[in-house]
Each structure stands twice: as C-alpha cells, then as structure tokens.
Amino acid sequence: NAGVTQTPKFQVLKTGQSMTLQCAQDMNHNSMYWYRQDPGMGLRLIYYSASEGTTDKGEVPNGYNVSRLNKREFSLRLESAAPSQTSVYFCAIRPTTGGSPLHFGNGTRLTVT
Amino acid sequence: SQQGEEDPQALSIQEGENATMNCSYKTSINNLQWYRQNSGRGLVHLILIRSNEREKHSGRLRVTLDTSKKSSSLLITASRAADTASYFCATESRDDKIIFGKGTRLHILP
C-alpha cells in the first residue's frame, strides 16, 4: 500500500526476545495507529498517536510500547515476546483525527515460538 | 470488548444477488466506517457515515446508520466475484480511537 511502509514483513521470535516493528509514512498525515489481527478476532487497537508527540493506549496495550519518533515514523516495541503475541500487526494512518478514514500498511506477520 | 459486532459472521450468496451485513455497537460514536480486507492484506476503506447521517451511497454500496438502535448495515448490490472478502465495521469515538468489529466473511458463488 503506497504511503505506509511496514518493516519487517515477516519475523519469527523466541519467547523472551525483543523486537521493534517499524512503520513509516510519506503522506504527511498526523495520526498513526497500531493494530493486531488474530484469526477470527478482527483488528484490535494496541496504541495510537493522534499527532506528533502524543501517544495513547488502545484496547490491548499490555506487553507493548510505542514511540512516535517524528511525524513520519511510529514504532511498536515488544520488550519480551510471548506466544500470545503471535499475530499480524497493521499500521494505519489518517490525515487528522475526527472523521477521516484509515489508510493501512500491508502488515507484519509475527510468530513467537 | 470490541465496540462493533458484525452479523452474520459468514455469508455466501450467488453472484448477482445483494449482500447485507449488519453492525451493532455499544457506546456513542462520532462516525462509523466500513472496510474491506482481501486475503489478510491491509484493510481498504469503503465508506464513512457520520453520526448525524442516516444513509449514504457509494457506487454499489449503501450504508445506513441508526444511532437510536446503535446499529448500521452495509448493502452491496449486484454482487460480483471480486466482492469476495472480509468486511469490517469500525466506530470512531470522541477520544479518536477507532475500534473494529470481528468482521463478516463474504463469499460470492459463481
């Protein structure tokens, strides 16, 4: 999806390892979101950043930290990965809050063994 | 728990028929959005309806919103094979969170 780049595309971790998922956008949008998608569960909001310099918890923030490094980048960190964090992680952006739709990246598929 | 809940969870219809999916939510919202997802890829925005709107159209899509019942429906008319996908409703609340439901898997039969 043009505009939102997620890296890596795939990752396998062992329990207890740490890693950072990267999200970068070139659309100059203010708001950025991290979701996880498990089979049959839809998308669940982990953290979001309404604008540069702000971050807020979503539905399932435990076990994750985020950094809004600048307007372009919003990273998601797993400090000590657990098998329950096996999922597909999506980054999404939108121009601003309040009534604009989300534009999604293609996701990072993470497996924790 | 998730804000939006879609119904049915899965739907199979013949090509050319209309498909209707429903979404119910629990708290007050600013707007409700519908998205489509193909084969585990990122979601694609279809249509957004604001809390003061009752109906909206976009091509073969029609969305209704009933805030008194906290429910919305998505109608796809004259379905095509390419409409096979998962469809999600998402609600935006005043704190800027956008919360998704579990989705409806739509399968269009040839």
Side-chain angles (χ1 to χ4, degrees):
Chain A
N1 288 4
V4 182
T5 302
Q6 290 186 238
T7 55
K9 289 184 171 56
F10 301 94
Q11 183 72 49
V12 179
L13 291 178
K14 295 187 188 305
T15 298
Q17 288 185 318
S18 62
M19 79 161 295
T20 300
L21 283 66
Q22 306 285 356
C23 176
Q25 53 122 343
D26 61 6
M27 299 177 76
N28 202 37
H29 286 354
N30 286 319
S31 302
M32 301 184 76
Y33 295 71
W34 275 107
Y35 291 90
R36 60 178 287 177
Q37 184 176 30
D38 304 326
M41 289 294 293
L43 275 72
R44 290 184 289 173
L45 179 63
I46 306 172
Y47 273 94
Y48 65 107
S49 171
S51 61
E52 185 179 357
T54 69
T55 60
D56 288 285
K57 294 178 179 180
E59 301 170 274
V60 289
N62 291 346
Y64 304 95
N65 287 302
V66 290
S67 295
R68 183 73 184 267
L69 304 169
N70 46 55
K71 191 171 185 179
R72 287 188 64 248
E73 298 170 291
F74 189 36
S75 62
L76 179 70
R77 183 160 178 83
L78 287 71
E79 290 291 351
S80 179
S84 61
Q85 294 178 305
T86 294
S87 191
V88 180
Y89 291 84
F90 288 101
C91 176
I93 65 173
R94 61 178 183 160
T96 184
T97 56
S100 54
L102 293 168
H103 181 76
F104 281 83
N106 278 333
T108 293
R109 190 173 297 274
L110 175 67
T111 301
V112 183
T113 61
Chain B
S1 63
Q2 292 183 268
Q3 167 77 308
E5 293 290 338
E6 289 91 339
D7 171 61
Q9 290 186 338
L11 178 63
S12 293
I13 60 172
Q14 295 293 135
E15 191 168 11
E17 293 181 338
N18 297 341
T20 299
M21 289 159 267
N22 302 297
C23 170
S24 59
Y25 57 92
K26 297 176 183 175
T27 62
S28 62
I29 61 172
N30 284 350
N31 62 70
L32 187 144
Q33 306 172 27
W34 285 91
Y35 290 81
R36 184 178 77 186
Q37 184 180 39
N38 290 91
S39 303
R41 295 180 62 84
L43 278 68
V44 174
H45 172 75
L46 295 175
I47 197 165
L48 181 151
I49 186 165
R50 301 185 189 281
S51 59
N52 61 353
E53 296 176 310
R54 292 297 168 256
E55 187 170 311
K56 206 161 182 182
H57 296 253
S58 176
R60 294 184 296 113
L61 306 180
R62 181 173 79 102
V63 168
T64 62
L65 178 64
D66 187 335
T67 53
S68 66
K69 294 181 179 178
K70 293 187 169 57
S71 67
S72 173
S73 67
L74 171 67
L75 169 68
I76 303 174
T77 60
S79 63
R80 305 168 182 169
D83 294 329
T84 293
S86 292
Y87 292 81
F88 296 88
C89 70
T91 53
E92 178 177 353
S93 52
R94 288 184 177 82
D95 58 3
D96 303 323
K97 289 180 181 176
I98 300 179
I99 304 297
F100 284 80
K102 295 182 180 180
T104 293
R105 295 187 308 278
L106 176 64
H107 185 56
I108 308 300
L109 303 168

